[in-house]
C-alpha cells in the first residue's frame, strides 16, 4: 500500500510521516477532510479533539458524519468513521475543549506537529500560545465560503497567530440595542436578548427595556450619571421582574406584545432628546395589527420551501408568529425542571421563529425594512456559507505544508490564500512567504509587554480580568501581581482567593499612571507585562485601549441582502451579532452550524452544554469557550504578507488586495450608524 | 410559517452561496466520472455531499492494494472486486438524496461499442485517463456538446482542464459591482420623483431624512444649470460638486452647519454614483456575436435573451441596459426610502417586461413556445444584464494538434524556465512515454534511473514535433520520473476539491470558470502555486 507513496515521498520523509504524532484541533469541515488525508498519507498516530456535537447542517460537507450521528460527539464519530474505512489507523479522540487545563504544555510537547481546524479566535489564540510554549510547529487554517487560507507558525521563525493585531469584534452599545436601533442587526440582537430575558438564562448585560440612563438623552453628563445610578437600582428590580412578570401573565402573547411594542416604545418617545435627529419609533397596537390581512404565501413559490423561508411577510403575520412562538416556547419552558432555562439555538424552529418575529416587529416600529427568516437566521446565527470543495482544497494543502515541515523544509512553507475567482494573473491559489516574528508581538516576543490606556478610577478588577486579560489578551486563567515592590496579588487564578477584589476599582489598589502589572497564565506558560496609562478621556463605551492597537471595527454592515450578494464568501449576514461575552467575541466568523456561537445567548448555551458534557466533572470550564470549530474568517482578511522568489510580485499584489478587502470592510463599518 | 425542511437544513450553508435555483440545477444534474481513482472519488465525494442529482462511475478496473492505500472509498475487503461498484457503495452512503450508478466497463470499450452512452450526462469528468482514450472521449463529447472536465493527479502535480464548446453565465457574482443608479441619465420616473422633493422648503427632519440619491440628483440639476453641461468628471470637478452639496446642509441659528448624515453620505458617494451608464464592452461583444445575430431554432434561451436585450437597448432602453432595480441601503426614513426604492423597482419591472416582449416575439418567429423562457429566467437575466459572460474553449484535439498548439504562447512563457507551463510540457512528455512503452516512467524504483533517459527523449520528441524550441531543465525530468505516476492522497484531495468546484460552476451556470489549472507542491523546486490560463484552452 505504501507503494503509492514511495514514489512522491522520499523514503526519509515517508519514515518521518509514519513516526510523527500529530494533533488535529477540531473535527468539523476542515477536520474531517484532514483526518482522512492524514490517514491516507501514512500518518499513524493521530490525536483529534473537538467539544462539539454533530448538527444536520454539518452534513453537506463533514463527510464523516451521517444523519444517524446527529447529536453525537464530532471527534468520536469522526474517529469511528475513519476506522471503518481504515481499520489500521491509530486515532485517539477527545470530546473536550482544547482550552481545558488538562491539555497543558506537557500534553502539547508530545506532538511532532499540531494542526488547527478551528473556527473561533479564542481557541486559535490559545493553541497558538500552547504551541509557542511547547515549541511545536503549528499549521493554522480557515475557510469561509469560497475563501480559504493555510499558514505555518513556528516559534522564533515565523509570525505567530497573534503577531499582527486583529480587529476585535465590535460589540453594540447597550443603548443602541435598547433605545435607538438603526440597523436590522440591532433589532436581531435585541430579539435574542429578549429570548433570554423571557425563556433563557437572564443576564444583566442583555437588558431589553428602555435605558433611561442613556447619556445622550440627558443634557448634563452629571445628570446622566445620576440617572444611571437611579436606573441601575431600578434596573435590578426590572431585570428580575421581566421573566417573573411574563410568568405572572401566563406568557400572554398579547400582553407581551403590548408591553414590548407599544408601552416600551411610548416610554422611549418620552425621551424626546433622542428623537431630535432620528425618526421616532411608532408604537404598534395589537388590535390595530389584527385588522390587517394575513400574508398569503406567494402561490407561485409554493413549490420551494427555501423560497418560502426567503419571503418577507407583513406585520400581521409577524405578530401572529410572535404569538404562536411565545406560546410554544412557554410550553417548552414549562416542561423544564424548575430553574432550568431554554437555550437559544438558531436551529430550533420555535426559537428562530420567535427571533424572526420579534426582530421584524421592532424593525417595523423603528422604520426599517423587515427581513426574511432566512436572512435573520444568517445574521442571528452568524452563519458563514461553507462548502465541501473549499475545505477539501484547504485540507489537502495543510497536509502538503505538513510534509514540508516534516522534511525539515520549513523555509519552503508558505501562507497560501485560496481566492474566489482567479486574480488578474489567473491565479486561484496565491502563496506568500512567511513573515518573521514581530519583535513587538505581545505574545511571542521574548518579554511580552503592552501599554493599556484606561481610567483607573472606573475600571474594576473584574473588568481587568474578564475584558482585558481574558477577552482581549486571550488568557484562560490569569494571575496578576502589581509591581509595587511588594508583589501585591491583585488577581489569583485559585478560586476564592481574590474574589473580594472583583468589584473594587484599580485605583483602590494604588494602581495609577505608570504602574506595571505582571499577568501570568500558568497553563499557557505566558507572562505579559502591562503598563497602565491612566486616562480620563476615553470615548464613551470604551473601557480601555491597547496603545498601538488597531482601532476596533464594526463588522460589515449587515443590512444588505445576504442570500445573493455574496461578495467575498463571507456573506454579510455572517456578521457580528453582538455580545459582550467574554470568551467568544470573535466568533463572528463561525460556521455556525458549528454553532452560531457569537452572542451571549449562545455563550450561555455553550456553557450549559458544556455542563451537560462534563457531568460529574468539576465545572472548570465556566469560562472556557467553544473551542473546536472551523472557520474564522478573520484571518482571511488580516493577513498581509510579503513575498519573495518567483511568485513574488503576484503574492504581493494578492496580499495587498486582501488588505484592500479589509479596508473596504473598514469603510463599510464607518458607514454603520451606531448613534450611541 | 415557513419552516426549513430537512433538505434546507442540510444544504443551508451552500444555499447561501448559489441560491435555491443553483441547488435545483445541481439536484437535477447527472454527472459521469470515469475511473474511481483517488482523484475520481474525491471529486465525487465533493459532489455527493452538496447533493448532485445522480452520478455514474465508469471503471473497468479491479480494486488493487494500491487503491486501498490512497483511496478513502475503497477498503481492503474490496480488493479484487470491481472498482466502480465498490466506490459507488461507499459514496452512496454520504447522501441518501443522491442516486449512484456504476458501469463495470472500461471507457475504451464503451467508446468502441456504444459512444452514445455518454450523451445522457450533463457533464463528464475524466480522471487519470491515458491520452489516446482521453482524445477519443473528448471528441465524442465535443460533438455532442457535453462539457468535459479533465482531471489528473501526477505525483505532486495536479492538472485540470475544462473542455466546453460554449458556457454561458448569467450570474457571474462579480466582486465589485457598482450600483446602477442612472444619475447621469435619469429616467422620467426618477426625474419626476426627484422633483417632488423641495429641499428649500422642507422642515429640518425631512431635510435630514432625504435619501442621498435624491440629494445628488437635485444638485446635479443645479450643477447643470449653474456650472457646466457635463457631469463632473475629474477630481477637481467632483470636489467642486461635493462643495455644492455641502453648501446645501442646513445651518442652525448660529450659522454652523447641522449634522446631516444623509448629506455626508451624498458627498461620500459622489465618486461612485456619477459613473456613466454605458454598455460594458463584454456585453457589446455579445450583441455582435454570431449566436446573437443569427438566431435559429436551436438557439439557447440565453442567446434569445441576449438578442432581446440588444433590441431593448436599441429601442426602449435608448442605448442603456434595463435598470437593475436595486439601491443601496441609506440614511432615510423608511417611507422615503421605500418610495425611492419603488421608483427603481418599477422601472426595472417595466424594462424587464419590455425585454420579455422582445423575447416573446423572437420566440414566436423561431416557432418556440413562449414559456420556453420562464419569468424567473427573464428576471434573473435582466438584473444581471451587465455581467453576462460567455466562455468558449478550444477542443482538446485542437490543443493537441502540432498545427494549433499555441506555440508562441508556450515559447514566450518558457522564457521563465520555471513557468508552470513546463509542467504541462512534462505531462505531455509522460503521455508520450506511455504511448511508446505501455507504462508511465519510474513506477518502480528500480526503473527510475533508466527511465530518465527515455523520458528525456520523449520530451525532446514531443517538443520537436510541435516546433517548440524551448529548454526544459533536467530537474523536471528527474522529478517526473521519481513521481512514478503515483497519486498521493493529499494532492488527489486537493484536486478533488478544485475540480468539484468547477463542476458545480458549470452545472449551476454561476461564477467564472478556471479553464485550466496546474499545481505543483514541493520537492526540488520552490512552490509555484496554482496556475490557470486561457492560453491553451482558447
Amino acid at each position: 500500500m505504501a507503494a503509492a507513496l514511495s514514489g512522491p515521498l522520499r523514503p526519509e520523509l515517508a519514515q518521518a510521516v509514519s513516526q510523527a504524532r500529530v494533533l488535529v484541533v477540531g473535527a468539523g469541515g476542515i477536520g474531517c477532510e484532514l483526518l482522512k488525508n492524514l490517514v491516507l498519507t501514512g500518518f499513524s498516530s493521530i490525536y483529534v479533539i473537538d467539544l462539539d456535537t454533530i448538527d444536520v447542517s454539518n452534513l453537506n460537507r463533514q463527510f464523516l458524519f451521517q444523519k444517524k450521528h446527529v447529536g453525537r460527539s464530532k471527534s468520536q464519530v469522526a474517529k469511528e468513521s475513519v476506522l471503518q474505512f481504515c481499520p489500521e489507523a491509530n486515532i485517539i479522540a477527545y470530546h473536550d475543549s482544547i482550552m481545558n487545563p488538562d491539555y497543558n504544555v506537557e500534553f502539547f510537547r508530545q506532538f511532532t506537529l499540531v494542526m488547527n481546524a478551528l473556527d473561533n479566535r479564542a481557541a486559535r489564540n490559545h493553541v497558538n500560545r500552547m504551541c509557542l510554549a511547547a515549541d511545536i510547529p503549528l499549521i493554522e487554517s480557515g475557510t469561509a465560503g469560497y475563501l480559504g487560507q493555510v499558514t505555518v507558525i513556528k516559534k522564533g521563525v515565523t509570525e505567530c497567530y497573534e503577531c499582527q493585531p486583529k480587529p476585535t469584534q465590535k460589540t453594540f452599545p447597550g443603548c443602541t440595542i435598547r433605545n435607538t436601533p438603526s440597523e436590522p442587526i440591532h433589532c436581531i440582537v435585541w430579539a435574542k436578548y429578549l429570548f433570554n430575558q423571557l425563556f433563557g438564562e437572564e443576564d444583566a448585560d442583555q437588558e431589553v427595556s428602555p435605558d433611561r440612563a442613556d447619556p445622550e438623552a440627558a443634557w448634563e453628563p452629571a445628570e446622566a450619571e445620576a440617572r444611571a445610578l437611579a436606573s441601575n437600582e431600578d434596573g435590578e428590580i426590572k431585570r428580575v421582574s421581566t421573566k417573573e412578570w411574563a410568568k405572572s401573565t401566563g406568557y400572554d402573547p398579547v400582553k407581551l406584545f403590548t408591553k414590548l411594542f407599544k408601552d416600551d416604545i411610548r416610554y422611549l418617545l418620552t425621551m424626546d432628546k433622542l428623537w431630535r435627529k432620528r425618526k421616532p419609533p411608532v408604537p404598534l397596537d395589537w388590535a390595530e395589527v389584527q385588522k390587517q390581512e394575513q400574508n398569503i404565501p406567494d402561490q407561485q413559490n409554493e413549490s420551494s420551501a427555501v423560497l418560502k423561508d426567503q419571503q418577507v411577510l407583513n406585520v400581521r403575520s409577524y405578530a401572529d408568529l410572535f404569538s404562536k412562538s411565545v406560546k410554544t416556547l412557554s410550553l417548552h419552558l414549562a416542561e423544564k425542571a424548575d430553574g432550568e432555562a431554554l437555550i437559544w439555538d438558531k436551529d430550533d424552529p420555535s426559537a428562530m421563529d420567535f427571533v424572526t418575529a420579534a426582530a421584524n416587529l421592532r424593525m417595523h416600529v423603528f422604520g426599517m425594512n423587515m427581513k426574511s427568516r432566512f436572512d435573520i437566521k444568517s445574521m442571528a446565527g452568524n452563519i458563514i456559507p461553507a462548502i465541501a470543495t473549499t475545505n477539501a482544497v484547504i485540507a489537502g494543502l495543510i497536509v502538503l505544508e505538513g510534509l514540508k515541515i516534516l522534511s525539515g523544509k520549513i523555509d519552503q512553507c508558505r501562507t497560501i490564500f485560496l481566492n474566489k475567482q482567479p486574480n488578474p494573473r489567473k491565479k486561484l491559489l496565491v502563496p506568500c512567504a512567511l513573515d518573521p516574528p514581530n519583535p513587538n508581538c505581545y505574545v511571542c516576543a521574548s518579554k511580552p509587554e503592552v501599554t493599556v490606556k484606561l481610567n483607573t478610577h472606573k475600571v474594576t478588577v473584574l473588568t481587568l480580568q474578564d475584558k482585558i486579560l481574558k477577552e482581549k489578551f486571550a488568557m484562560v486563567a490569569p494571575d496578576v501581581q502589581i509591581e509595587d515592590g511588594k508583589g501585591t496579588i491583585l488577581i489569583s487564578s485559585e478560586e476564592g482567593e481574590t474574589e473580594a477584589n472583583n468589584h473594587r476599582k484599580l485605583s483602590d489598589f494604588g494602581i495609577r499612571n505608570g504602574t506595571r502589572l505582571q499577568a501570568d497564565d500558568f497553563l499557557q506558560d505566558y507572562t505579559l507585562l502591562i503598563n497602565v496609562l491612566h486616562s480620563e478621556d476615553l470615548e464613551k463605551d470604551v473601557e480601555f485601549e491597547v496603545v498601538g492597537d488597531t482601532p476596533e471595527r464594526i463588522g460589515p454592515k449587515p443590512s444588505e441582502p445576504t442570500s445573493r450578494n455574496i461578495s467575498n464568501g463571507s456573506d454579510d449576514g455572517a456578521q457580528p451579532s453582538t455580545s459582550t461575552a467574554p470568551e467568544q467575541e470573535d466568533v463572528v466568523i463561525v460556521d455556525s452550524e458549528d454553532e452560531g456561537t457569537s452572542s451571549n445567548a449562545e455563550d450561555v448555551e455553550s456553557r450549559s452544554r458544556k455542563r451537560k458534557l462534563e457531568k460529574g466533572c468539576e465545572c472548570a470550564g465556566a469560562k472556557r469557550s467553544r473551542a473546536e470549530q472551523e472557520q474564522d474568517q478573520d484571518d482571511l482578511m488580516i493577513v498581509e504578507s510579503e513575498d519573495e522568489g518567483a511568485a513574488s510580485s503576484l503574492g504581493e499584489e494578492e496580499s495587498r488586495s486582501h488588505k484592500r478587502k479589509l479596508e473596504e470592510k473598514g469603510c463599510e463599518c464607518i458607514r454603520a450608524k451606531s448613534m450611541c | 410559517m415557513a419552516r426549513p425542511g430537512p433538505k434546507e437544513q442540510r444544504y443551508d450553508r451552500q444555499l447561501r452561496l448559489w441560491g435555491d435555483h443553483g441547488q435545483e440545477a445541481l439536484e437535477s444534474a447527472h454527472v459521469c466520472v470515469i475511473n474511481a481513482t483517488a482523484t475520481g472519488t474525491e471529486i465525487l465525494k465533493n459532489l455527493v455531499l452538496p447533493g448532485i442529482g445522480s452520478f455514474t462511475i465508469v471503471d473497468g478496473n479491479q480494486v488493487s492494494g494500491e487503491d486501498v492505500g490512497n483511496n478513502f472509498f475503497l477498503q481492503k475487503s474490496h480488493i479484487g472486486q470491481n472498482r466502480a461498484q465498490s466506490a459507488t457503495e461507499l459514496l452512496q452512503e454520504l447522501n441518501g438524496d443522491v442516486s449512484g450508478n456504476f458501469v463495470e466497463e472500461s471507457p475504451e470499450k464503451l467508446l468502441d461499442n456504444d459512444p452514445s452512452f455518454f450523451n445522457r450526462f450533463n457533464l463528464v469528468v475524466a480522471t487519470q485517463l491515458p491520452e489516446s482514450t482521453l482524445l477519443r472521449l473528448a471528441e465524442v463529447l465535443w460533438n455532442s456538446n457535453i462539457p468535459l472536465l479533465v482531471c489528473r493527479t501526477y505525483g505532486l502535480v495536479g492538472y485540470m482542464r475544462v473542455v466546453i464548446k460554449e458556457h454561458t453565465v448569467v450570474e457571474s457574482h462579480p466582486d465589485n459591482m457598482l450600483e446602477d443608479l442612472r444619475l447621469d441619465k435619469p429616467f422620467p420616473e426618477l426625474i419626476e420623483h426627484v422633483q417632488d422633493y423641495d429641499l428649500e422648503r422642507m422642515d429640518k427632519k425631512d431635510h435630514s431624512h432625504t435619501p442621498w440619491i435624491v440629494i445628488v440628483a437635485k444638485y446635479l440639476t443645479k450643477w447643470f444649470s449653474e456650472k457646466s453641461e457635463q457631469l463632473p468628471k475629474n477630481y477637481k470637478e467632483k470636489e467642486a460638486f461635493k462643495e455644492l452639496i455641502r453648501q446645501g446642509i442646513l445651518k442652525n441659528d448660529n450659522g454652523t452647519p447641522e449634522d446631516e448624515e444623509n448629506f455626508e453620505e451624498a458627498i461620500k458617494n459622489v465618486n461612485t454614483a456619477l459613473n456613466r451608464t454605458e454598455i460594458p464592452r463584454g456585453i457589446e461583444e455579445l450583441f455582435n456575436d454570431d449566436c446573437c445575430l443569427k438566431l435559429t431554432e436551436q438557439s439557447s434561451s440565453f442567446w434569445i435573451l441576449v438578442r432581446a436585450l440588444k433590441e431593448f437597448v436599441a429601442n426602449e432602453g435608448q442605448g442603456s441596459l434595463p435598470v437593475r432595480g436595486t439601491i443601496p441601503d441609506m440614511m432615510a426614513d423608511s417611507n422615503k426610502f421605500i418610495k425611492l426604492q419603488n421608483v427603481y423597482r418599477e422601472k426595472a419591472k417595466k424594462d424587464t417586461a419590455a425585454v420579455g416582449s422582445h423575447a416573446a416575439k423572437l420566440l414566436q418567429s423561431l416557432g418556440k413556445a413562449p414559456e420556453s423562457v420562464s419569468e424567473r429566467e427573464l428576471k434573473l437575466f435582466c438584473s444581471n444584464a451587465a455581467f453576462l459572460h460567455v466562455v468558449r474553449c478550444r477542443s482538446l484535439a485542437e490543443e493537441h494538434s502540432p498545427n494549433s498548439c499555441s506555440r508562441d504562447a508556450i515559447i514566450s512563457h518558457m522564457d521563465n524556465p520555471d513557468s508552470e507551463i513546463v509542467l504541462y510540457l512534462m505531462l505531455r512528455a509522460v503521455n508520450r512515454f506511455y504511448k511508446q512503452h505501455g507504462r508511465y516512467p519510474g513506477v518502480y524504483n528500480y526503473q527510475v534511473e533508466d527511465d530518465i533517459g527515455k523520458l528525456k527523449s520523449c520530451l525532446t520528441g514531443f517538443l520537436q514535433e510541435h516546433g517548440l524550441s524551448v529548454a526544459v531543465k533536467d530537474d523536471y525530468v528527474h522529478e517526473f520520473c521519481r513521481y512514478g505516476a503515483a497519486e498521493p492522497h493529499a494532492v488527489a484531495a486537493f484536486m478533488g476539491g478544485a475540480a468539484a468546484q468547477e463542476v458545480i460552476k458549470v452545472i449551476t451556470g454561476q461564477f467564472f470558470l478556471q479553464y485550466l489549472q496546474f499545481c505543483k507542491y514541493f520537492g526540488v523546486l520552490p512552490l509555484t502555486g496554482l496556475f490557470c490560463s486561457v492560453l491553451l484552452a482558447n
Side-chain angles (χ1 to χ4, degrees), chain B residues 255-329:
Chain B
T256 43
E258 295 273 358
D259 190 13
E260 292 196 299
E261 272 192 69
N262 54 337
F263 273 73
E264 295 302 329
E265 263 186 0
I267 290 165
K268 213 167 71 194
N269 279 296
V270 161
N271 285 334
T272 49
L274 296 185
N275 58 320
R276 300 179 67 88
T277 304
E278 43 197 19
I279 313 258
R281 187 182 300 168
I283 306 301
E284 203 74 78
E285 279 168 16
L286 295 187
F287 287 165
N288 296 320
D289 196 290
D290 268 354
C291 291
C292 167
L293 298 172
K294 296 173 191 153
L295 292 181
T296 68
E297 277 169 55
Q298 274 73 48
S299 292
S300 65
S301 51
F302 177 87
W303 285 111
I304 295 170
L305 285 170
V306 171
R307 177 68 171 273
L309 190 65
K310 183 184 168 129
E311 289 178 11
F312 169 85
V313 170
N315 297 289
E316 302 90 334
Q318 300 176 1
S320 299
L321 294 172
V323 168
R324 205 180 303 151
T326 53
I327 58 173
D329 202 22

Side-chain angles (χ1 to χ4, degrees), chain A residues 479-492 498 501 509 515-518 520:
Chain A
D479 290 276
V480 178
Q481 97 183 26
I482 307 172
E483 293 208 332
D484 52 2
K486 292 176 284 186
T488 309
I489 306 284
L490 189 65
I491 297 172
S492 165
T498 50
N501 295 349
F509 298 89
T515 304
R516 287 155 73 89
L517 304 174
Q518 184 185 317
D520 284 290

Side-chain angles (χ1 to χ4, degrees), chain A residues 1 3-4 6-10 13 33 36-37 40-41 56-57 59-61 63-64 66-67 81-82 84-86 88 145-146 277-280 304-310 313 321 324 346 349-350 353 367-369 373-374 377-378 383-389 392-393 396-397 399-401 403-404 407 409 412 414 416 420-422 425-429 431 557 559-560 562-564 566-567 569 571 591-593 664 671 673 675, chain B residues 1-6 8-21 24 42 45-46 49-50 65-66 68-76 90 93-94 155-156 172-176 205 208-209 212 258-259 261 265 268 329-331 333-334 337-338 341 375-376 420 445 479 482-483 486-491 493-494 497-498 500-501 504-505 511-514 517 521-534:
Chain A
M1 266 185 270
S6 63
L9 295 195
R10 294 164 193 281
L13 179 55
E33 296 280 341
K36 164 184 67 76
N37 293 354
L40 291 171
T41 303
V56 184
S57 62
L59 304 180
N60 79 330
R61 62 195 185 287
F63 70 100
L64 297 173
Q66 297 175 18
K67 231 174 226 164
S81 298
V82 171
Q84 218 178 13
F85 287 92
C86 306
E88 63 278 6
Y146 291 114
K277 279 190 195 162
R278 290 189 185 88
K279 183 173 180 266
S304 166
V306 186
L307 280 180
K308 270 204 288 186
D309 221 26
Q310 293 179 10
L313 310 178
L321 184 65
K324 207 177 102 195
K346 68 185 180 319
S350 320
D353 281 350
M368 292 171 225
N369 294 326
R373 191 180 191 277
F374 186 82
K377 185 174 176 186
S378 194
I383 296 178
I384 307 224
I387 43 175
T389 49
V393 168
L397 290 173
V399 174
L400 292 161
E401 290 300 305
L403 292 177
K404 289 188 213 166
S407 49
K409 293 175 182 163
Q412 287 187 10
R414 296 287 182 271
I416 306 171
K420 179 178 134 204
Q421 10 217 30
R425 303 286 191 123
K426 312 279 182 212
K427 293 242 180 190
L428 191 67
L429 209 57
K557 229 180 135 241
S559 51
E560 275 94 46
T562 52
S563 49
R564 319 213 172 272
I566 293 135
S567 57
D571 170 312
D591 156 357
S592 70
E593 77 269 26
E664 278 163 24
R671 215 182 147 281
K673 297 164 200 106
M675 303 250 188
Chain B
M1 175 60 192
R3 282 281 174 74
E8 288 67 39
Q9 281 180 34
R10 184 184 187 110
Y11 300 132
D12 183 90
R13 299 306 182 273
Q14 67 206 40
L15 291 174
R16 289 165 199 278
L17 286 177
W18 52 68
D20 46 290
H21 54 294
E24 265 168 41
E42 288 299 307
K45 167 183 106 287
N46 297 329
L49 287 170
E66 226 172 275
V68 177
N70 77 344
N71 196 324
F72 193 74
F73 298 94
L74 297 172
Q75 304 179 346
K76 255 188 188 153
L90 292 189
E93 279 183 23
L94 295 178
L156 295 170
S172 53
H173 299 276
D175 262 335
N176 300 309
K205 205 179 82 190
S208 63
H209 284 93
W212 70 258
E258 295 273 358
D259 190 13
E261 272 192 69
E265 263 186 0
K268 213 167 71 194
D329 202 22
M330 63 192 72
M331 194 70 203
D333 62 57
S334 35
F337 179 79
I338 290 171
Q341 195 178 37
E375 202 53 32
R376 194 162 93 175
E420 290 87 344
N445 284 338
E479 174 110 334
R482 203 174 56 75
Y483 288 160
E487 202 182 343
H489 185 80
V491 181
F494 171 92
Q501 190 57 64
I504 292 169
K505 287 182 193 169
F511 301 97
F512 296 104
L513 295 181
Q514 311 300 336
Q517 308 179 327
Y521 304 99
F522 78 125
V524 291
L525 305 155
L527 182 140
T528 47
L530 194 139
F531 172 75
C532 146
S533 167
V534 294

Side-chain angles (χ1 to χ4, degrees), chain A residues 119-390:
Chain A
D119 68 348
N120 70 92
R121 204 193 295 163
R124 283 193 168 105
N125 287 338
H126 182 74
V127 176
N128 176 49
R129 288 159 191 219
M130 298 308 289
C131 288
L132 289 171
D135 196 9
I136 302 297
L138 167 67
I139 304 179
E140 180 57 88
S141 61
T143 64
Y146 291 114
L147 303 180
Q149 184 187 345
V150 177
T151 193
V152 171
I153 295 168
K154 174 84 172 81
K155 184 182 180 180
V157 177
T158 73
E159 276 191 344
C160 82
Y161 181 69
E162 295 164 271
C163 269
Q164 300 300 333
K166 309 204 171 11
T168 42
Q169 185 45 53
K170 174 83 177 177
T171 57
F172 298 105
C175 40
T176 303
I177 301 300
R178 294 168 65 181
N179 292 359
T180 51
S182 57
E183 293 177 42
I185 187 69
H186 300 148
C187 300
I188 293 168
V189 168
W190 178 86
K192 284 171 73 178
Y193 284 0
L194 178 64
F195 178 93
N196 280 350
Q197 294 290 329
L198 292 176
F199 310 107
E201 278 185 38
E202 290 167 274
D203 181 333
D205 287 338
Q206 299 188 358
E207 192 50 65
V208 290
S209 52
D211 177 7
R212 276 162 268 188
D214 191 334
E216 204 197 337
W219 288 102
E220 297 292 325
E223 191 187 330
E225 201 147 325
R227 285 167 85 167
L229 267 176
S231 92
N232 261 350
E233 288 157 24
D234 205 37
E236 290 295 307
I237 300 157
K238 243 183 142 66
R239 203 184 77 237
V240 178
S241 67
T242 305
K243 198 176 202 171
E244 293 306 317
W245 174 78
K247 268 189 188 160
S248 74
T249 68
Y251 283 99
D252 181 333
V254 179
K255 284 191 179 148
L256 281 175
F257 183 98
T258 304
K259 170 177 162 36
L260 295 165
F261 302 110
K262 189 173 172 187
D263 298 346
D264 281 357
I265 303 302
R266 279 185 173 165
Y267 185 88
L268 278 177
L269 286 170
T270 64
M271 297 159 77
D272 49 354
K273 187 140 194 295
L274 293 178
W275 315 111
R276 281 187 41 220
K277 279 190 195 162
R278 290 189 185 88
K279 183 173 180 266
V282 182
L284 273 177
D285 182 80
W286 176 263
E288 284 298 314
V289 169
Q290 289 302 311
K291 287 181 194 155
Q292 224 182 13
E293 296 254 322
Q294 236 190 322
N295 260 85
I296 299 160
D298 196 342
Q299 292 300 330
Q300 215 185 329
N301 296 329
E302 194 71 274
S303 57
S304 166
V306 186
L307 280 180
K308 270 204 288 186
D309 221 26
Q310 293 179 10
Q311 280 179 38
V312 179
L313 310 178
N314 66 8
V315 175
R316 161 76 196 271
S317 306
Y318 287 125
D320 290 353
L321 184 65
F322 177 80
S323 159
K324 207 177 102 195
S325 57
V326 165
K327 280 182 201 151
T328 316
L329 291 168
S330 62
L331 285 178
H332 288 180
L333 186 63
E335 286 164 13
K336 292 257 173 191
D338 208 28
E340 267 194 77
L342 299 184
I343 291 161
W344 193 80
D345 180 352
K346 68 185 180 319
D347 292 315
D348 169 13
S350 320
M352 196 53 232
D353 281 350
F354 176 82
V355 167
T356 305
N360 269 325
L361 291 168
R362 190 164 171 91
M363 283 182 227
H364 182 79
V365 163
F366 282 90
M368 292 171 225
N369 294 326
M370 299 197 289
K371 293 197 156 280
S372 71
R373 191 180 191 277
F374 186 82
D375 287 346
I376 290 180
K377 185 174 176 186
S378 194
M379 297 166 80
N382 290 317
I383 296 178
I384 307 224
I387 43 175
T389 49
T390 307

